[in-house]
Amino acid sequence: MITLDIFADPVCPWCFIGKARLDRALAQRPNHPFQRAWQPFELNPTMPPDGMARADYLQAKFGQDGAAKMHVQLLEIAEAEGYDFHPERVTHQPNTRNAHRLLHWAGLEERQEDAMEGLLAAHWRDGRNIGDATVLCEVAEAAKMDPRLVERLLASDADIDTIVAKEAHARERGINAVPSVVVANAHLVSGAQPTDLWLQVIDELSGAPSDATQH
């Protein structure tokens, strides 16, 4: 298997789209050689612990015009590609450090795919606050993790240092945006790449014809 180290933050809309595109490629190539490992990367490491209103966050980061343009662009992509994506439901911008801790624990139990899907769905489909411990425990339970154990861990400082260290290492390697995918610990693929690109990569690695339209 070839490891895809995916540096992502579930509150990043491009991570939602990038995962959906990669999911489609992997579904079309069920014998693909990839094994995904979700790695922590906080978009907003200085976000207050309780987060903030999303409208205030967008205004501060992008300005009113920039936020509106990005919103329209994302909705157009989601509609064109058929994604269940509802950024209009997101009213709160959370601190995601605990979400990354959950993903770390999910990785230890080989439940990362379900945990990341749950976090993305909670935020981008349901507009829930994934900085809230109750929401995180519900995501954990849906991913077949023990919600009582996750609740206890979230109430502690467990693995905060691990998340911070992994993120610092990523930045030292030159990763400064998400999504960023490191293929086989050697090749960096940045951004929410289209499904066709991933199909070509899979076909090249497996020696199959690199025709992205084949099924």
Side-chain angles (χ1 to χ4, degrees), residues 27-71:
Q28 290 182 45
R29 300 290 189 272
N31 296 320
H32 66 82
F34 292 146
Q35 178 175 329
R36 287 186 279 192
W38 295 93
Q39 304 293 350
F41 195 98
E42 294 173 89
L43 268 182
N44 308 294
T46 60
M47 177 67 65
D50 292 332
M52 63 189 298
R54 181 161 173 79
D56 294 340
Y57 166 77
L58 292 175
Q59 175 68 33
K61 187 163 186 175
F62 301 107
Q64 185 171 353
D65 289 345
K69 288 177 181 176
M70 184 181 73
H71 184 79

Side-chain angles (χ1 to χ4, degrees), residues 22-181:
L22 177 56
D23 284 347
R24 287 188 171 177
L26 299 181
Q28 290 182 45
R29 300 290 189 272
N31 296 320
H32 66 82
F34 292 146
Q35 178 175 329
R36 287 186 279 192
W38 295 93
Q39 304 293 350
F41 195 98
E42 294 173 89
L43 268 182
N44 308 294
T46 60
M47 177 67 65
D50 292 332
M52 63 189 298
R54 181 161 173 79
D56 294 340
Y57 166 77
L58 292 175
Q59 175 68 33
K61 187 163 186 175
F62 301 107
Q64 185 171 353
D65 289 345
K69 288 177 181 176
M70 184 181 73
H71 184 79
V72 170
Q73 181 187 17
L74 291 166
L75 287 177
E76 287 177 346
I77 291 173
E79 182 177 359
E81 300 185 20
Y83 303 138
D84 185 8
F85 178 67
H86 297 280
E88 73 280 359
R89 297 175 183 171
V90 181
T91 60
H92 186 77
Q93 189 72 22
N95 179 301
T96 58
R97 181 157 296 175
N98 283 340
H100 285 297
R101 285 206 289 164
L102 174 60
L103 282 170
H104 172 70
W105 301 324
L108 300 177
E109 299 184 29
E110 299 185 352
R111 306 304 308 168
Q112 266 197 333
E113 287 302 316
D114 290 336
M116 177 54 98
E117 183 63 30
L119 289 168
L120 290 167
H123 185 77
W124 291 111
R125 295 174 188 164
D126 303 331
R128 305 185 73 196
N129 177 11
I130 60 170
D132 181 82
T134 299
V135 174
L136 292 175
C137 288
E138 290 174 3
V139 169
E141 185 172 20
K144 296 183 173 58
M145 300 170 66
D146 183 347
R148 293 172 297 279
L149 174 59
V150 170
E151 182 180 23
R152 291 196 297 272
L153 288 170
L154 287 171
S156 74
D157 293 333
D159 293 311
I160 290 177
D161 290 347
T162 299
I163 298 304
V164 171
K166 283 188 171 186
E167 193 168 321
H169 181 61
R171 294 182 188 276
E172 289 168 4
R173 296 174 69 184
I175 293 171
N176 54 27
V178 292
S180 291
V181 183

Side-chain angles (χ1 to χ4, degrees), residues 178-192:
V178 292
S180 291
V181 183
V182 178
V183 182
N185 202 34
H187 307 289
L188 176 63
V189 179
S190 300

